[in-house]
């Protein structure tokens, strides 16, 4: 293989020190002939791929490459796969695949011409991966990875190991943090800066702003063929969401504030959702996940809420954002007609320590999810417990 590519891979593997595995590590079909791993920028996809190579390269010949490497100014992905196959390669991983033009067509060709070569690829621009999926058809399962759960944050940054709990266990008060006397200080730190694996670095806020700018100014505009001025309007739209308590979008009002036609706003919101900047809570009219009518719009995760909201960050917004962000990974969360959220027929009202039961009083399976409490009882559940589901 090309010596510069080999040196690049070996350098990255030598720098890799983390032994912490993200929740998707054991869920990915690593031995599939081809698979994709996608997710918002900064959630640790590249690190996880490199971990797998470092821990399994003795089992099979593996190779890692980033699609924006200078090698690809004079070579194609097909060239790389051809050479890899001739040398008896077994498993090739291509990082940041969305940065390579016509990537899906070439992956399809590699799949069809090299049945003995397994291919894994990652993409931070979820939008482009969705677009390319059509070319790959059923050849490549796509795995979606989100940021750190509260449980993962405890493990990565504090060495506190907590098992994964099912929703039923949380509601039965079996989700515990036995080695922590007071979980709230750690939980509130997580809300402010614990969702991304780079949260422990001194320049966390700067890096998170870079993630936002790259997503809003590059990823989405490139995908949707937007002008630079339209890209700036997208950032303005994100700012509108950041300043708002969870709200039901009134398209005419938002269109006036941002300065765009109301007809394009649903597309803009969808692009931002798929790129990991916002979450859209839908009702259950669609019958399946992500199809119903949008009832509320949130920022994607609490860290974004604190960064973009600054001194105006609404704590009620943060609490609902956390609940939706964490629970959507393992369950189908829809809006409730009488409260905040509904999951499998169960209703959840999210609030602070003094939140009452009035809204769920007549509901058979209603729960009050409270922040600022360490333990729950009956149908009162501490908010932090919902961060232990993955």
């Amino acid at each position: 293989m090309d010596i510069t590519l080999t040196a690049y891979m070996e350098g990255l593997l030598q720098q890799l020190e983390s032994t912490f595995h993200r929740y998707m590590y054991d869920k990915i079909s690593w031995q599939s002939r081809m698979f994709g791993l996608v997710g918002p920028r900064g959630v640790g996809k590249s690190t996880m791929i490199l971990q797998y190579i470092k821990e399994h390269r003795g089992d099979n010949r593996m190779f890692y490459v980033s699609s924006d490497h200078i090698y690809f100014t004079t070579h194609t992905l097909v060239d790389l796969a051809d050479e890899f196959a001739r040398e008896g390669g077994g498993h090739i991983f291509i990082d940041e695949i969305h940065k390579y033009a016509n990537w899906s067509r070439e992956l399809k060709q590699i799949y069809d011409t090299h049945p003995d070569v397994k291919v894994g690829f990652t993409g931070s621009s979820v939008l482009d991966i969705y677009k390319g999926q059509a070319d790959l058809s059923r050849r490549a399962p796509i795995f979606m990875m989100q940021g750190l759960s509260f449980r993962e944050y405890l493990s990565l940054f504090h060495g506190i190991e907590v098992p994964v709990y099912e929703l039923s266990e949380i509601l039965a008060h079996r989700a515990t943090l036995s080695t922590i006397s007071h979980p709230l200080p750690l939980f509130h730190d997580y809300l402010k800066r614990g969702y991304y694996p780079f949260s422990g670095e001194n320049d966390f806020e700067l890096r998170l702003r870079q993630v936002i700018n790259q997503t809003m100014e590059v990823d989405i505009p490139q995908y949707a063929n937007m002008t630079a001025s339209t890209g700036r309007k997208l950032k303005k739209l994100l700012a509108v969401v950041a300043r708002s308590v969870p709200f039901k979008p009134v398209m005419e009002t938002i269109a006036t504030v941002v300065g765009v036609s109301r007809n394009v706003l649903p597309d803009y919101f969808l692009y931002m959702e798929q790129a990991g900047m916002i979450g859209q809570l839908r009702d259950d009219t669609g019958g399946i996940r992500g199809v119903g009518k949008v009832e509320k719009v949130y920022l994607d995760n609490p860290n974004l809420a604190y960064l973009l909201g600054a001194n105006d960050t609404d704590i009620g917004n943060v609490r609902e954002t956390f609940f939706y962000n964490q629970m959507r990974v393992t369950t189908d969360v829809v809006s409730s007609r009488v409260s905040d959220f509904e999951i499998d027929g169960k209703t959840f009202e999210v609030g602070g320590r003094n939140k009452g039961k009035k809204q769920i009083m007549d509901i058979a399976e209603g729960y009050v999810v409270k922040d600022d409490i360490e333990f729950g009882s009956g149908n009162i559940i501490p908010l932090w417990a919902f961060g232990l589901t993955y």
Side-chain angles (χ1 to χ4, degrees), residues 68-290:
D68 60 353
H69 193 280
I70 193 172
Y71 170 88
F72 292 110
T73 59
T74 55
H75 298 81
T76 65
L77 289 174
V78 172
D79 293 335
L80 179 69
D82 289 345
E83 182 177 359
F84 190 60
R86 286 195 299 270
E87 295 184 9
H91 207 152
I92 188 168
F93 295 93
I94 307 166
D95 204 4
E96 297 290 291
I97 193 74
H98 61 278
K99 295 181 179 179
Y100 185 96
N102 299 318
W103 60 268
S104 58
R105 293 181 185 178
E106 291 200 33
L107 287 186
K108 179 178 179 296
Q109 183 174 338
I110 292 169
Y111 183 97
D112 292 340
T113 57
H114 296 296
D116 295 330
V117 175
K118 296 182 175 65
V119 179
F121 61 91
T122 77
S124 293
S125 180
V126 180
L127 298 154
D128 285 333
I129 301 300
Y130 287 156
K131 183 190 291 185
Q133 233 177 320
D135 286 337
L136 294 177
S137 186
R138 299 176 182 175
R139 294 172 175 81
I142 304 296
F143 298 91
M144 178 72 182
M145 187 164 81
Q146 301 291 351
L148 298 173
S149 66
F150 179 48
R151 187 192 72 85
E152 290 182 302
Y153 157 87
L154 291 173
S155 176
L156 177 59
F157 295 118
H158 299 283
I160 300 170
E161 300 302 326
V162 181
V164 171
Y165 289 99
E166 301 287 339
L167 177 59
S168 59
E169 295 176 297
I170 293 171
L171 300 183
H173 303 286
R174 291 200 291 270
T176 61
L177 299 176
S178 58
T179 61
I180 304 175
S181 299
H182 303 290
L184 293 179
L186 291 173
F187 177 59
H188 292 153
D189 179 67
Y190 167 82
L191 294 177
K192 292 181 178 178
R193 51 179 298 130
Y195 186 69
Y196 296 90
F198 59 83
S199 297
E201 301 178 12
N202 292 330
D203 61 349
F204 166 67
E205 289 192 1
L206 175 61
R207 288 197 59 183
L208 184 52
R209 288 191 186 278
Q210 290 173 340
V211 166
I212 295 170
N213 290 337
Q214 187 74 11
T215 302
M216 302 300 292
E217 297 177 359
V218 179
D219 292 346
I220 296 177
Q222 282 185 353
Y223 168 80
N225 295 318
M226 294 176 176
T227 63
S229 62
T230 305
R232 288 191 290 271
K233 290 179 180 179
L234 272 183
K235 289 189 70 175
K236 190 173 182 180
L237 179 57
L238 186 66
V240 170
V241 176
R243 291 194 301 268
S244 305
V245 174
F247 71 103
K248 183 172 182 178
V250 180
M251 294 303 180
E252 290 81 1
T253 303
I254 299 173
T256 300
V257 172
V258 178
V260 298
S261 166
R262 74 171 305 280
N263 295 329
V264 302
L265 280 178
D267 287 340
Y268 288 1
F269 277 121
L270 183 60
Y271 298 156
M272 291 163 64
E273 181 181 37
Q274 292 180 338
M277 288 290 103
I278 66 170
Q280 298 191 94
L281 179 67
R282 296 170 170 85
D283 65 19
D284 59 359
T285 57
I288 59 173
R289 192 175 195 172

